C-alpha cells in the first residue's frame, strides 16, 4: 500500500485536487479530462437513476449526454439556500449535495489504484463559511480520518505553505502573488521580519478588482497588458521582492508580454493555476511549515495568541497548560484540557502573545460548585472562537465518577482578542 495525502482547493465554481505519494518528492495535480493544461474540476454533479450513482467533475461531461439523469450545478453557490433539490424521489439540501460531491471526488481518485491508502487531507477555502466548515467536519467522519489527519485552511495560508516549501533562494526577500479570477484581481504579499530569533511571516492583501476587472480580459488586451504593467510596477517599488507568482484563470501567455518584462526585473516569476491546492497538499503531507520552528505566520484571520490555563507549580512557578495554540485561523483555534481543582473555585486563564511574549492573566470564579475535597472536582476547559476578535472559555463540571457526580453545570466567559 502507498500512503496518499490530498490537498483540495474548494472554490465556488470548481475544485482542484493534488496528491502526494510517499514515494514522490513533490505533489501532483489532477487535470481536466482531455486537457492537461487545466486543473480546475467543475463543481457539477450528475445522478444516473438506473445505476443509483453520482458522477462529479470531469466525469459528468462524459455521461450527461449518454445517460438519463439529473444534473446539479452551483452547489457551493447555493449553500445558504433553504431549498431542497428532489432527485429520483429523494430530497437533498445543498449541504448534503456538497458532502456527496466532495466525497465522490475523493473516492473516485482513490479508486484509481488499490494501492492507495489515504493518510491525510488539507482543504483550502476562498472564504470561511460556517455551513461549509460544518460539512467538511462531516466529510472527515465519512472518510474515517482523525482530527490530526484532516485540516481546513485559508487561501492565504495555503499560499504561505506553498512558498515555504520552495527553494530558499526564492524567498530571500518578500514574495508576492497576483490572483486574477472571475471577480477581478487580488494582490498578496508575504513579508518577513524578526522578533529576537523568531521569524515572523505576515501576509497582506490588496483588493485590485476595480483596477483589474475580469471583463477587461475580453476587451483591449494590448491596453490591458500596459495597464497591468503599470499597476505591477507600482507594487514592485513598495519593497524588495524576490519572487512573484501569477495565478487564476485570467492569466495566460497571450496578453502579459509588457507586464512580464516589468515583473522579471531582478525577480523570478512563475505562473500556475494550482498554487493553493499544492500548498494544501504540502500541509497534508508534512504538517504546517511553522510547526517545530521558531516561526510564526500571521494573516488577517489568524490569532497570534496561545490560550491556556495556569496549573500547579513546578520549581515554585505556575505552569502554563495550552488549550488552543495560536498562529492559525480563528476557526481552527480550539482545544480542550481537563483540570482538577485544589481547595478553590478559581481558574487562572492565560493569554500569551506569540510575538511580544506579553502575558494577560484573567481569574475566573466558578460559582455554584458543591464543596468537594481537593483534586475531586474535575473540570473540562474548552476554547471557542466566534470570529478573529471574540471568543469564549467554556468550563464544564465533570464531577468525579460516581463518588461526586457531575452537576452538569456549564460556565461561559467571553473574551476579546487584541486591542
Amino acid at each position: 500500500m502507498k500512503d496518499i495525502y490530498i490537498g483540495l482547493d474548494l472554490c465556488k465554481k470548481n475544485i482542484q485536487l493534488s496528491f502526494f505519494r510517499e514515494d514522490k518528492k513533490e505533489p501532483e495535480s489532477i487535470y481536466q479530462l482531455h486537457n492537461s493544461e487545466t486543473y480546475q474540476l467543475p463543481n457539477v454533479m450528475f445522478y444516473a437513476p438506473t445505476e443509483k450513482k453520482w458522477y462529479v467533475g470531469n466525469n459528468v461531461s462524459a455521461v450527461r449526454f449518454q445517460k438519463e439523469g439529473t444534473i446539479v450545478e452551483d452547489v457551493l453557490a447555493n449553500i445558504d439556500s433553504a431549498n431542497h433539490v428532489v432527485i429520483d424521489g429523494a430530497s437533498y439540501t445543498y449541504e448534503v449535495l456538497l458532502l456527496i460531491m466532495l466525497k465522490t471526488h475523493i473516492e473516485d481518485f482513490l479508486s484509481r489504484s488499490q494501492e492507495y491508502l489515504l493518510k491525510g487531507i488539507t482543504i483550502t477555502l476562498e472564504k470561511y463559511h460556517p455551513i461549509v466548515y460544518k460539512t467538511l467536519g462531516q466529510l472527515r467522519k465519512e472518510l474515517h480520518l482523525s482530527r490530526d489527519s484532516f485540516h481546513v485552511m485559508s487561501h492565504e495560508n495555503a499560499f504561505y505553505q506553498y512558498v515555504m516549501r520552495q527553494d530558499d533562494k526564492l524567498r530571500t526577500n518578500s514574495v508576492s502573488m497576483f490572483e486574477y479570477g472571475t471577480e477581478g484581481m487580488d494582490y498578496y504579499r508575504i513579508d518577513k521580519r524578526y522578533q529576537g530569533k523568531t521569524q515572523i511571516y505576515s501576509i497582506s492583501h490588496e483588493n485590485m478588482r476595480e483596477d483589474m476587472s475580469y471583463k477587461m480580459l475580453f476587451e483591449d488586451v494590448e491596453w490591458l497588458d500596459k495597464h497591468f504593467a503599470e499597476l505591477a510596477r507600482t507594487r514592485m517599488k513598495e519593497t524588495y521582492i524576490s519572487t512573484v507568482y501569477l495565478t487564476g484563470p485570467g492569466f495566460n501567455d497571450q496578453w502579459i508580454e509588457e507586464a512580464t518584462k516589468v515583473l522579471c526585473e531582478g525577480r523570478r516569476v512563475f505562473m500556475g493555476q494550482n498554487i493553493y491546492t499544492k500548498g494544501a497538499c504540502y500541509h497534508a503531507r508534512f504538517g504546517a511549515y511553522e510547526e517545530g520552528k521558531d516561526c510564526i505566520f500571521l494573516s488577517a484571520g489568524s490569532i497570534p495568541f496561545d490560550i491556556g490555563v495556569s496549573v500547579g507549580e513546578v520549581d515554585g512557578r505556575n505552569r502554563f497548560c495550552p488549550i488552543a495554540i495560536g498562529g492559525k485561523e480563528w476557526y481552527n483555534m480550539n482545544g480542550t484540557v481537563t483540570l482538577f481543582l485544589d481547595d478553590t473555585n478559581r481558574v487562572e486563564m492565560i493569554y500569551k502573545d506569540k510575538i511580544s511574549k506579553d502575558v494577560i492573566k484573567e481569574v475566573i470564579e466558578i460559582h455554584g460548585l458543591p464543596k468537594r475535597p481537593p483534586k475531586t472536582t474535575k473540570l473540562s476547559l474548552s476554547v471557542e472562537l466566534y470570529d478573529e476578535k471574540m471568543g469564549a472559555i467554556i468550563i464544564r463540571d465533570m464531577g468525579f465518577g460516581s463518588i461526586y457526580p457531575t452537576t452538569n453545570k456549564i460556565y461561559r466567559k467571553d473574551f476579546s482578542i487584541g486591542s
Side-chain angles (χ1 to χ4, degrees):
M1 298 291 284
K2 294 180 179 178
D3 291 347
I4 288 288
Y5 300 84
I6 290 177
L8 192 151
D9 179 19
L10 175 60
C11 298
K12 187 179 292 186
K13 292 293 184 181
N14 57 73
I15 76 163
Q16 293 186 51
L17 192 151
S18 293
F19 60 98
F20 214 129
R21 299 194 315 189
E22 62 177 347
D23 58 340
K24 298 290 184 178
K25 294 183 178 181
E26 296 293 333
E28 302 173 55
S29 295
I30 295 177
Y31 49 80
Q32 276 193 8
L33 197 64
H34 308 308
N35 187 354
S36 59
E37 299 299 318
T38 302
Y39 302 103
Q40 296 175 339
L41 312 178
N43 283 345
V44 60
M45 309 171 67
F46 181 86
Y47 184 77
T50 55
E51 301 173 73
K52 304 292 182 183
K53 180 178 178 179
W54 285 99
Y55 293 87
V56 298
N58 287 334
N59 294 326
V60 172
S61 60
V63 300
R64 63 183 297 184
F65 300 114
Q66 300 175 9
K67 303 175 184 288
E68 289 189 2
T70 304
I71 192 165
V72 182
E73 298 177 296
D74 296 325
V75 174
L76 193 58
N78 287 306
I79 198 69
D80 285 315
S81 175
N83 295 332
H84 287 216
V85 179
V86 178
I87 301 173
D88 196 28
S91 181
Y92 298 87
T93 64
Y94 282 99
E95 184 177 341
V96 170
L97 288 170
L98 177 61
L99 177 62
I100 293 171
M101 184 180 73
L102 293 175
K103 187 180 178 185
T104 305
H105 266 298
I106 293 167
E107 290 180 341
D108 282 353
F109 165 71
L110 295 175
S111 67
R112 297 180 184 185
S113 174
Q114 294 182 348
E115 295 182 348
Y116 289 172
L117 177 63
L118 181 60
K119 299 292 287 186
I121 293 181
T122 296
I123 297 178
T124 179
L125 306 173
E126 285 180 293
K127 186 178 179 182
Y128 169 80
H129 191 292
I131 297 177
V132 174
Y133 194 77
K134 175 186 172 185
T135 304
L136 295 180
Q138 183 60 37
L139 176 65
R140 177 187 68 80
K141 295 175 184 177
E142 296 270 342
L143 296 173
H144 307 291
L145 290 172
S146 68
R147 293 183 185 276
D148 292 337
S149 302
F150 189 97
H151 302 273
V152 181
M153 63 170 48
S154 64
H155 268 183
E156 289 90 341
N157 198 348
F159 173 46
Y160 166 77
Q161 299 296 331
Y162 177 85
V163 167
M164 301 308 286
R165 297 294 178 181
Q166 305 308 303
D167 193 313
D168 292 352
K169 296 177 182 178
L170 297 178
R171 47 185 166 85
T172 53
N173 296 305
S174 296
V175 176
S176 67
M177 177 176 69
F178 292 93
E179 180 180 8
Y180 197 8
T182 55
E183 296 182 0
M185 183 170 288
D186 290 271
Y187 177 63
Y188 300 90
R189 196 180 77 204
I190 297 175
D191 299 312
K192 180 176 70 172
R193 62 186 174 91
Y194 285 89
Q195 182 86 12
K197 294 182 179 180
T198 303
Q199 299 177 63
I200 301 170
Y201 291 89
S202 58
I203 186 167
S204 57
H205 169 234
E206 180 187 355
N207 185 329
M208 297 174 59
R209 296 176 185 181
E210 288 189 8
D211 290 324
M212 287 287 295
S213 68
Y214 195 67
K215 68 178 183 179
M216 293 177 179
L217 192 62
F218 306 97
E219 298 171 348
D220 185 347
V221 292
E222 185 176 340
W223 175 88
L224 180 64
D225 184 19
K226 294 178 181 178
H227 178 58
F228 176 53
E230 286 304 312
L231 294 174
R233 183 177 284 109
T234 300
R235 274 74 188 172
M236 297 303 100
K237 288 180 179 178
E238 292 173 347
T239 189
Y240 292 108
I241 295 177
S242 302
T243 305
V244 178
Y245 294 94
L246 306 176
T247 192
F251 280 119
N252 58 67
D253 293 329
Q254 299 174 10
W255 69 269
I256 58 167
E257 183 178 344
E258 185 67 27
T260 300
K261 294 176 184 177
V262 172
L263 294 170
C264 288
E265 292 175 357
R267 303 171 203 89
R268 298 289 299 278
V269 179
F270 298 93
M271 185 186 301
Q273 303 303 322
N274 52 357
I275 289 174
Y276 295 132
T277 179
K278 281 195 172 182
C281 203
Y282 280 118
H283 183 275
R285 174 65 179 90
F286 299 114
Y289 172 83
E290 61 273 21
E291 284 181 4
K293 302 181 180 70
D294 199 358
C295 178
I296 300 170
F297 170 65
L298 298 177
S299 65
S302 65
I303 306 299
F305 284 83
D306 292 336
I307 302 173
V309 61
S310 178
V311 296
E313 286 193 4
V314 178
D315 298 328
R317 300 175 63 182
N318 286 345
R319 182 167 58 90
F320 173 74
C321 178
I323 302 174
I325 302 298
K328 60 184 72 171
E329 298 88 349
W330 65 267
Y331 45 84
N332 287 322
M333 279 280 290
N334 48 59
T336 301
V337 299
T338 299
L339 184 66
F340 292 89
L341 291 183
D342 288 322
D343 189 17
T344 181
N345 67 338
R346 294 185 170 194
V347 173
E348 185 178 60
M349 299 302 304
I350 305 291
Y351 306 89
K352 186 182 291 187
D353 191 310
K354 295 179 75 71
I355 300 173
S356 68
K357 310 301 182 184
D358 290 342
V359 171
I360 300 173
K361 299 181 180 181
E362 180 182 29
V363 175
I364 300 177
E365 256 188 86
I366 307 171
H367 299 285
L369 288 177
K371 187 69 175 177
R372 297 168 180 153
K375 302 295 185 183
T376 59
T377 294
K378 180 181 178 182
L379 301 179
S380 168
L381 280 74
S382 302
V383 170
E384 176 184 312
L385 269 77
Y386 312 136
D387 54 33
E388 60 265 36
K389 295 182 179 179
M390 300 294 297
I393 305 295
I394 299 114
I395 303 175
R396 295 177 172 86
D397 175 32
M398 307 294 286
F400 194 76
S402 59
I403 303 174
Y404 299 103
T406 175
T407 61
N408 291 312
K409 289 187 175 181
I410 299 176
Y411 306 84
R412 182 181 290 265
K413 177 66 172 64
D414 290 336
F415 62 85
S416 60
I417 298 290
S419 55

